[in-house]
Amino acid sequence: MRESVDLSLAKGDCFDSGGGLGGAVYDIRTVPCEGAHEGEVFATFTIKAGPYPGDDAVQDAAERCVGLLDAYAMDAWALPEDVDVFHVTPTQETWSLGDREVTCVLGSTTEGGTLTGSLRADASTLDAHQVAYLKGAHVLNAALDSEPDTELVEDDLPGHKAWARRVSTALATWSGTLRAHPWPADARAPLADLATRLDKARALWDKAARARDADAFYVPYDAGLALIEPEADIPARKALKLATTPPGSGAQGTDGDGADGGAKV
């Protein structure tokens, strides 16, 4: 939360402050992103005007920050492991002075930790080939993230079948993008291999979407998930000069007790 309305930050600004990102923020000072800094702004937005909605409602509104991160830091693989999303929000006192702005911030989760260098990775810092690849990856990741919130497939088979259909559609979309984009000569082979793998995975996820029971779902699901393990994307990423170390939240296998769509490509 911010303790003063005199805290003007814009997307791309890096800053230090008093209080730390986990509590009340005051005395914000913008600093060059090249050096050590406490936070980096990746988005801002305003809350609808009206009477102060309460601390819980403000915090709920600020959760929108999570969905805005991909547009600023397109490559999750390039984010340090200790970086997370924070938000600076109005308090009841600053609201009464006209403060409606939520500031979405990247910062370190390590106590006393700082960032060095900008984490921005979008069309202003990446080339067209990198952007095309990452946009396709986002389509698939969004579908994977829409997995039903149940422990077992048999707890919600229709929901998992619908999820598998969304993943299948996303795989087809990304594969089509990879085949249509004019890649650099030295990247064509690994990107073509990736498209072929996505097509094979799509067929398996499509089969899972048509499963008659949970057992019939798991077999193609397990094989389809294996084909989109993050490590398999490394050759394509290397050719495009993108980060090649998967994030710690990469795909996990299943033990037959439940589905896990956590692959991040």
Side-chain angles (χ1 to χ4, degrees), residues 23-178:
V25 175
Y26 59 92
D27 190 26
I28 283 182
R29 306 172 303 281
T30 56
V31 297
C33 291
E34 291 75 13
H37 52 275
E38 185 177 340
E40 178 175 355
V41 179
F42 66 86
T44 64
F45 62 91
T46 57
I47 300 175
K48 184 178 180 180
Y52 184 67
D55 293 347
D56 289 344
V58 168
Q59 293 302 308
D60 288 344
E63 290 302 317
R64 178 183 168 193
C65 285
V66 175
L68 298 175
L69 178 58
D70 279 352
Y72 185 85
M74 294 184 67
D75 189 2
W77 290 35
L79 290 175
E81 290 287 341
D82 67 338
V83 167
D84 205 351
V85 172
F86 296 82
H87 36 71
V88 182
T89 61
T91 63
Q92 185 168 5
E93 291 74 19
T94 64
W95 186 279
S96 67
L97 300 174
D99 181 20
R100 303 289 185 272
E101 186 169 80
V102 174
T103 305
C104 306
V105 176
L106 287 170
S108 174
T109 58
T110 302
E111 185 174 358
T114 59
L115 310 177
T116 301
S118 176
L119 296 173
R120 188 169 195 160
D122 58 15
S124 69
T125 63
L126 302 172
D127 65 39
H129 306 301
Q130 294 169 328
V131 170
Y133 173 91
L134 292 170
K135 282 184 176 180
H138 287 177
V139 171
L140 178 54
N141 287 333
L144 288 167
D145 287 343
S146 69
E147 179 183 8
D149 187 22
T150 56
E151 182 177 357
L152 302 173
V153 170
E154 45 266 44
D155 292 338
D156 184 9
L157 180 61
H160 278 85
K161 290 171 63 175
W163 171 58
R165 177 66 62 199
R166 293 191 293 273
V167 174
S168 174
T169 300
L171 287 163
T173 299
W174 193 15
S175 173
T177 298
L178 293 176

